[in-house]
């Protein structure tokens, strides 16, 4: 006899002697279908009263206009409508990079695919790259670079610190033969809440008149943090649709400078799906797509860009700055420390919060989800169990953030941290009340 416990139901039945009996005996087949359905419902933890409070640094909340825009049937992407839509999208995505000279590519992929596209289109196997290891996502990009057979010169910093630009300066000064072909840097490392100063990287390249390409992972920064592709001389920048654009995962958006496009002509890296040449060929034809795009995501991107432009990109950046500052003030009021070690590196899209050694930060994340329907970011790799992360990224306002901070306070009390309820919310509220402007569209 086998006993199956499903919630409060106990089902006892005789085990069939062979798999064939399950499929041929009506009673067992029916019972199996019913128990499978019950188990699937038991595994589905999505539903809870109200809404899930999503405060991870991506994927982020999707605004209602974007959801509505994507709620449509499939279309023939070879019809006149989709090329016309694509043309406007390609023109407008350049604005989020603050580029007038770049060439954009919208590839059906994730940020990881966008990384690969940036590397394989501009570099050849064996090329020397200087790459900064400052957290989990820079680590993953470096792993990809090594697996693609580039010669990766890794500059490692303690997690919680930014890229060591002093080491970069030394390497550039010593590289009179220009063996370094690219500098790869993550603009905003979400594992530790660290933002790097890209203008300083460009300053060093210009100081030593070095021709290396500057490749930037802007997955969790573009559309949320100050980013100036043309002004900072970035050669390839990339982002993902599920971050500040507030879309589902599925579009890797890349912008390539004229210098990067020129480099792509001599790259010998193997590439098929991510080959820019295929895109450029179809751009000239006016059909734009070398393979089938996600129609729904394209309409969603149109709506997302419209929302960003209506608010104003600079206003979006200022909003993220307010959210980041308010979160850091709350953390300080709780008596906890930021994983990011210097103010100059503070991120405005995610805050990684260090917890005392007697608390497992993973339990904070678990309890947030199980009891309060609040999703927080786990500590990753070297900081696993040591930090939890509050994402304040995408289509998000100040009152939503205050709700998250109130939830975190209750969770901290649950896990035994001596917190005064309301302390962080009060600190954040006092700052926000003095700094939230009128909503531009409602003035």
């Amino acid at each position: 006899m086998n006993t199956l416990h499903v919630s409060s139901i106990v089902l006892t039945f005789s085990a069939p002697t062979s798999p064939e009996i399950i499929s041929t005996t009506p009673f067992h087949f029916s019972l199996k279908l019913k128990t499978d359905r019950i188990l699937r419902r038991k595994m589905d933890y999505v539903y809870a009263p109200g809404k899930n409070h999503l405060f991870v640094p991506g994927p982020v909340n999707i605004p209602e206009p974007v959801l509505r825009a994507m709620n449509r049937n499939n279309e023939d992407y070879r019809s006149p409508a989709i090329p016309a839509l694509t043309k406007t999208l390609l023109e407008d995505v350049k604005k989020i990079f603050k580029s007038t000279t770049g060439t954009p590519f919208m590839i059906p992929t994730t940020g990881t695919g966008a990384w690969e596209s940036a590397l394989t289109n501009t570099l050849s196997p064996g090329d020397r790259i200087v790459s900064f290891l400052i957290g989990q996502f820079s680590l993953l990009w470096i792993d990809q670079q090594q697996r693609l057979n580039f010669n990766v010169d890794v500059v490692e910093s303690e997690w919680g610190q930014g890229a060591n630009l002093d080491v970069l300066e030394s390497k550039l000064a010593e590289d009179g033969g220009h063996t370094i072909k690219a500098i790869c840097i993550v603009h905003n490392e979400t594992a530790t809440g660290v933002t790097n100063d890209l203008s300083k990287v460009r300053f060093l390249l210009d100081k030593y008149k070095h021709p290396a390409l500057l490749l930037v992972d802007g997955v969790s920064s573009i559309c949320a943090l100050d980013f100036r592709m043309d002004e900072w001389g970035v050669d390839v920048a990339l982002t993902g649709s599920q971050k500040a654009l507030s879309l589902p995962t599925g579009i890797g958006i890349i912008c390539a400078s004229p210098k990067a496009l020129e480099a792509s002509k001599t790259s010998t890296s193997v590439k098929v799906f991510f080959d820019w040449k295929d895109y450029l060929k179809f751009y000239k034809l006016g059909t734009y797509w070398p393979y089938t795009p996600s129609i729904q995501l394209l309409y969603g991107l149109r709506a997302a860009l419209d929302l960003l432009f209506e608010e104003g990109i600079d206003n979006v950046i200022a909003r993220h700055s307010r959210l980041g500052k308010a979160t850091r003030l709350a953390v300080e009021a709780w008596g906890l420390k930021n994983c990011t070690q210097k103010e100059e590196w503070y991120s405005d899209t995610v805050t990684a919060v260090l917890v005392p050694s007697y608390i497992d930060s993973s339990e904070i994340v678990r309890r947030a989800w199980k009891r309060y329907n609040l999703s927080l970011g786990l500590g990753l790799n070297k900081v696993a169990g040591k930090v939890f992360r509050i994402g304040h990224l995408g289509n998000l306002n100040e009152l939503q953030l205050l709700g998250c901070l109130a939830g975190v306070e209750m969770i901290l009390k649950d896990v035994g941290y001596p917190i005064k309820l309301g302390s962080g919310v009060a600190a954040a509220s006092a700052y926000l009340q003095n700094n939230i402007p009128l909503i531009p569209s409602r003035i």
Side-chain angles (χ1 to χ4, degrees):
M1 300 288 284
N2 288 338
T3 302
L4 175 64
H5 294 268
V6 181
S7 188
S8 59
I9 303 170
V10 179
L11 300 174
T12 304
F13 55 92
S14 299
T17 57
S18 70
E20 288 77 13
I21 295 177
I22 294 177
S23 60
T24 58
T25 305
F27 169 75
H28 285 110
F29 182 70
S30 175
L31 180 61
K32 184 177 186 300
L33 289 178
K34 289 178 182 177
T35 54
D36 282 352
R37 282 197 297 269
I38 295 169
L39 286 169
R40 281 197 296 272
R41 285 200 298 271
K42 187 175 175 64
M43 291 167 60
D44 182 2
Y45 289 103
V46 173
Y47 176 72
K51 64 175 291 182
N52 173 253
H53 302 275
L54 186 58
F55 283 86
V56 297
V60 302
N61 297 281
I62 304 174
E64 289 296 328
V66 174
L67 289 171
R68 289 194 294 272
M70 294 188 296
N71 186 21
R72 59 195 308 126
N73 210 332
N74 281 327
E75 296 178 33
D76 177 10
Y77 74 97
R78 296 182 179 89
S79 72
I82 299 306
L85 171 63
T86 303
K87 185 175 187 293
T88 67
L89 291 174
L90 289 171
E91 291 168 353
D92 282 348
V93 293
K94 289 168 64 173
K95 298 173 185 176
I96 68 176
F97 294 94
K98 293 193 175 176
S99 176
T100 58
T101 61
T103 298
F105 302 94
M106 302 182 298
I107 302 177
T109 187
T110 64
T112 305
W115 284 346
E116 186 168 332
S117 178
L119 295 167
T120 57
N121 279 281
T122 57
L123 300 166
S124 300
D127 279 353
R128 182 184 176 195
I129 301 171
V130 174
S131 200
F132 298 93
L133 201 173
I134 60 171
Q136 178 66 8
F137 295 96
S138 53
L139 173 66
L140 291 173
W141 198 14
I142 287 168
D143 175 64
Q144 185 188 79
Q145 293 158 18
Q146 292 169 336
R147 290 161 70 180
L148 289 168
N149 297 317
F150 301 117
N151 175 17
V152 189
D153 191 345
V154 179
V155 179
E156 186 169 1
S157 299
E158 181 182 344
W159 288 33
Q161 295 181 1
N164 191 329
L165 299 186
D166 291 336
V167 173
L168 174 62
E169 180 165 17
S170 297
K171 290 182 181 296
L172 293 174
E174 295 166 0
D175 189 33
H178 297 162
T179 63
I180 299 170
K181 301 304 179 184
I183 309 298
C184 293
I185 187 167
V186 173
H187 187 199
N188 188 76
E189 173 57 73
T190 53
T192 55
V194 166
T195 301
N196 287 304
D197 189 339
L198 300 179
S199 65
K200 289 184 179 178
V201 180
R202 171 45 57 193
F203 171 80
L204 292 174
L205 285 167
D206 290 347
K207 178 179 178 180
Y208 292 96
K209 297 181 173 57
H210 202 290
L213 296 166
L214 177 54
L215 310 185
V216 175
D217 169 354
V219 171
S220 61
S221 65
I222 290 168
C223 283
L225 306 182
D226 188 20
F227 188 87
R228 311 174 197 178
M229 181 167 178
D230 288 357
E231 183 179 331
W232 295 340
V234 175
D235 291 299
V236 185
L238 58 97
T239 191
S241 55
Q242 78 279 16
K243 298 287 186 172
L245 282 165
S246 300
L247 285 161
T249 308
I251 310 179
I253 303 176
I254 300 154
C255 197
S257 72
K259 181 179 173 183
L261 286 184
E262 193 63 30
S264 72
K265 296 176 182 177
T266 56
S267 163
T268 61
S269 294
V270 174
K271 48 197 171 287
V272 179
F273 184 78
F274 297 118
D275 197 334
W276 295 350
K277 292 185 182 70
D278 291 344
Y279 274 85
L280 293 171
K281 180 174 72 175
F282 281 85
Y283 286 2
K284 287 181 180 178
L285 292 172
T287 53
Y288 296 103
W289 293 102
Y291 37 65
T292 310
S294 169
I295 302 300
Q296 290 79 7
L297 279 176
L298 294 182
Y299 281 105
L301 178 58
R302 179 68 271 162
L305 290 171
D306 290 343
L307 290 176
L308 288 167
F309 297 153
E310 183 177 352
E311 184 177 358
I313 293 292
D314 289 339
N315 291 330
V316 173
I317 293 168
R319 171 167 55 80
H320 281 86
S321 177
R322 290 193 300 276
L323 296 173
K325 176 71 171 177
T327 304
R328 293 189 293 271
L329 287 170
V331 172
E332 183 180 347
W334 297 333
L336 295 174
K337 292 184 178 180
N338 197 316
C339 180
T340 310
Q341 295 180 15
K342 289 184 180 179
E343 186 174 351
E344 66 188 82
W345 295 320
Y346 284 161
S347 170
D348 286 333
T349 61
V350 58
T351 300
V353 185
L354 287 166
V355 299
S357 58
Y358 63 86
I359 293 175
D360 178 0
S361 66
S362 300
E363 179 56 28
I364 290 173
V365 177
R366 281 192 293 268
R367 184 170 286 266
W369 188 64
K370 287 183 175 181
R371 188 174 189 191
Y372 299 101
N373 204 12
L374 170 62
S375 294
L376 301 171
L378 287 163
L380 302 172
N381 201 319
K382 287 187 178 182
V383 293
K386 299 176 183 178
V387 310
F388 67 93
R389 295 175 297 145
I390 302 172
H392 28 87
L393 171 63
N395 191 272
L396 187 71
N397 65 34
E398 293 83 356
L399 295 187
Q400 288 174 281
L401 177 67
L402 291 174
C404 168
L405 297 177
V408 172
E409 291 186 353
M410 291 188 286
I411 298 157
L412 288 171
K413 199 165 186 69
D414 286 349
V415 299
Y417 181 72
I419 187 173
K420 179 182 178 183
L421 291 177
S423 57
V425 173
S429 298
Y431 165 74
L432 291 171
Q433 193 272 326
N434 287 312
N435 287 279
I436 298 176
L438 294 173
I439 298 169
S441 62
R442 299 183 183 180
I443 297 173

